[in-house]
Amino acid sequence: MRKLASLMLLLVAICLSASVLVGTAQAASLVEVTNFGANPSGLRMYLYVPNNVKPHPAVLVANHYCTGTGPAFYTNTQYATLAEQYGFIVIYPSVTRSEQCFDVASPQTLTHNGGSDSLGIVSMVKYVLQTYSADASRVYATGISSGAMMTNVLLGAYPDVFAAGAAFSGVPFGCFATTNGSLWNSDCATGKIIKTPQQWGDLVRAAYPGYTGPRPRMQLWHGTNDDVLYYQNFTEAVKQWTDVLGTGQTPAYTDAPQASWTRTRYGGTGTQAPVEAISVAGGPHNLPWGLEPYAIQFFGLDATSTTPTATPNVPTATSVAPTATPNVPTTTPIAPTATPIAPTATPIAPTATPVSGAGCQVRYVLNQWGTGFTAEVTVKNTGSAAINGWSLAWTFGGNQQVTNAWNATISPTSGSVVAKNMSYNASIPAGGSASFGFQASYSGSNSAPASFTLNGTPCGSF
């Protein structure tokens, strides 16, 4: 009996010890991983594995902004909290070069297995896939500013690795490309690089010649008042990814989840459409923190919810602010930051046949919902000489009221209006074009303007 009693006391002690261990278990934390594989540009790898990580978990790469770090991005975003909720693993790459911006410009980073930052990040992914038996079919990327640009690079150069991406204030894949060793491209940053959808798509396809597998889905975010990576980059990114994914330029679905947002989906109407683009009217380069749940929903990582579980609005005063000013390099810029997206749709033909222009053509792309709409306008110089300073005039056919514009000033805001160039897009070379856009409200009908004149010259359409 004494032996039995002693054994029972021992078992009780073991159980109590186990309960104490369970009760004092530490929460998951961010850890640094070294020797994770090929890392030609010396990135640092930080990893968050949640306590409730799922078997064969999904993997999310979260790319920081210029002047940021992996740990700062971990601290100032919700991805780790969401990982605890849904059981996926988060990788936080961290740049070690002085400007702390990702390389999204060199031929190496823009080429599949070419080297630089993109290859180092893919090595991190492969390490996690092997070490944690993660699901190679559910690898995603996201980022803000420079991190958004890297998201575009990863999806373009490594379509065999990533299933989808969410880019907040970035630029299209290849837009920042340079060959002189510089990692900064001012023409791209200021929205001066304009291409057709196929030309943008060809840049992506050339990054991995011969690849015939599936392409990753893309979610794009951009503020119309972005003064670091201009809003035109949103328009160009939509062109690129709709071409890459073969959805066409006409949205299948348009809505306004919040008053200042225009959300368009291409190739599908659900939360996981091939391309989703959210334009934030009046939004700056540094979009509000708290939009992460929308990216998680787009990836399909929120197992049950159909509406983001975190509030996507601007944080209150208690929200943690970034440890460094996101997206804007404190020295001469070397790497990009991020960009949003302008809805692109099949141009709506004018209600009246435009007068054939002697030296200009105009394309007016209309995207409307309820009592609001956005319009993307492209002015093409078909003459033989450059245009230095331009004013495009038209008359609205109904009760339209312009509320804000980008890449041009528009006055008055209704009736017969004139859009004038900004200082950075005043010149249109022969054969070149300039683009601008605006958001407006309307009542009644909302057809495209019947005609346009550029500096007093009637324009045709294209």
Side-chain angles (χ1 to χ4, degrees), residues 239 347 361-365 376-380 452 460-462:
K239 290 181 189 177
Q361 292 179 325
V362 174
R363 180 169 60 198
Y364 184 93
V365 179
E376 187 68 27
V377 185
T378 303
V379 183
K380 186 175 182 180
F452 297 89
S461 62
F462 73 105

Side-chain angles (χ1 to χ4, degrees), residues 58-62 137-142 161-165 217 299-301:
V59 180
L60 175 63
V61 175
S137 68
R138 293 192 300 145
V139 178
Y140 308 95
T142 188
V161 175
F162 294 91
R217 298 179 297 111
F299 298 151
L301 291 175

